[in-house]
Amino acid sequence: KNEVEQSPQNLTAQEGEFITINCSYSVGISALHWLQQHPGGGIVSLFMLSSGKKKHGRLIATINIQEKHSSLHITASHPRDSAVYICAVKAITQGGSEKLVFGKGTKLTVNP
Amino acid sequence: DVKVTQSSRYLVKRTGEKVFLECVQDMDHENMFWYRQDPGLGLRLIYFSYDVKMKEKGDIPEGYSVSREKKERFSLILESASTNQTSMYLCASSESVVDSRHQPQHFGDGTRLSIL
């Protein structure tokens, strides 16, 4: 079982729909990272959070540490939101150091 | 804004060649990382460096080496390229602080490497 699981793997939506992408993890973490990767490869950091909720424009990220779960929400989705969204956790290793563990990504397509 | 620049967006090399992928960051970050990204596997860490001349193996270091002679530059080297090293390679950097919870990694645009 992967340490970071995302769902769904693929998501197709109509413009204007509210979108939720989920991330569950099974390891102890110090923080969780949501990344966006557009076709062509470049990765952009959207959020880094260790508790509660963060909002930036139409994007909202939440995390529940007790349940080891995070969600990324997109309100009023637009075709330019089409991208792969990647959840990554800063996992605490047995030696006490940290390493970034990535989910496999959710491919979002928003149709006009 | 942090800028992480990878020297090539697309690269085609032949089996057995020695291949250099270069990455430069302009924010004086201590940490630099090399990942490869493959369909169905996500991002996997190859090597990282937490200071000049310091390096640590990631999850899949076999067939790769790295060089960090200057703080701003982190090079990934394929000593003898093989076809299974065809992939998207991503470089990232981050600050090194006592509380790293709020220090994100900043990624370059990636290099799509094809080994023929």
Side-chain angles (χ1 to χ4, degrees), chain B residues 48-108:
Chain B
F48 70 97
S49 168
Y50 52 90
D51 202 351
V52 175
K53 297 191 187 294
M54 307 302 284
K55 60 186 180 186
E56 290 289 337
K57 291 180 180 178
D59 298 319
I60 50 164
E62 296 79 19
Y64 303 95
S65 61
V66 289
S67 172
R68 186 125 181 245
E69 295 297 317
K70 293 184 178 181
K71 193 174 185 180
E72 68 270 18
R73 185 180 295 272
F74 192 34
S75 304
L76 180 70
I77 303 155
L78 286 66
E79 296 291 342
S80 178
S82 62
T83 54
N84 63 12
Q85 292 178 309
T86 292
S87 185
M88 167 72 95
Y89 289 86
L90 287 142
C91 174
S93 73
S94 71
E95 283 189 78
S96 180
V97 293
V98 172
D99 180 0
S100 65
R101 284 178 298 168
H102 303 291
Q103 298 305 318
Q105 289 192 7
H106 300 269
F107 286 83

Side-chain angles (χ1 to χ4, degrees), chain B residues 2-5 23-32 68 70-74 91-94 106:
Chain B
V2 176
K3 184 74 175 170
V4 179
T5 303
C23 176
V24 176
Q25 50 93 5
D26 64 359
M27 283 302 291
D28 203 36
H29 284 171
E30 290 83 3
N31 301 328
M32 295 188 76
R68 186 125 181 245
K70 293 184 178 181
K71 193 174 185 180
E72 68 270 18
R73 185 180 295 272
F74 192 34
C91 174
S93 73
S94 71
H106 300 269

Side-chain angles (χ1 to χ4, degrees), chain A residues 19-23 34-35 46-47 59-62 70-74 85:
Chain A
I19 287 160
T20 296
I21 299 171
N22 295 299
C23 176
W34 280 103
L35 306 166
L46 296 175
F47 295 105
L59 301 177
I60 303 164
T62 65
S70 175
S71 293
L72 177 68
H73 305 286
I74 305 175
Y85 292 85

Side-chain angles (χ1 to χ4, degrees), chain A residues 9-107:
Chain A
Q9 285 187 329
N10 292 282
L11 182 57
T12 300
Q14 288 301 122
E15 184 172 356
E17 282 185 20
F18 178 81
I19 287 160
T20 296
I21 299 171
N22 295 299
C23 176
S24 296
Y25 53 91
S26 58
V27 294
I29 72 167
S30 58
L32 184 142
H33 208 163
W34 280 103
L35 306 166
Q36 181 191 55
Q37 185 175 30
H38 279 286
I43 291 180
V44 173
S45 171
L46 296 175
F47 295 105
M48 190 156 199
L49 64 166
S50 52
S51 64
K53 180 170 76 174
K54 283 192 177 179
K55 186 175 189 293
H56 182 70
R58 295 181 294 105
L59 301 177
I60 303 164
T62 65
I63 187 168
N64 185 318
I65 297 294
Q66 286 74 28
E67 294 186 6
K68 296 190 173 182
H69 180 268
S70 175
S71 293
L72 177 68
H73 305 286
I74 305 175
T75 61
S77 61
H78 190 275
R80 65 174 173 267
D81 296 326
S82 298
V84 175
Y85 292 85
I86 301 169
C87 171
V89 300
K90 276 196 174 182
I92 303 166
T93 69
Q94 285 187 331
S97 61
E98 293 179 337
K99 71 170 188 175
L100 211 55
V101 181
F102 295 85
K104 291 193 169 65
T106 295
K107 184 177 180 181

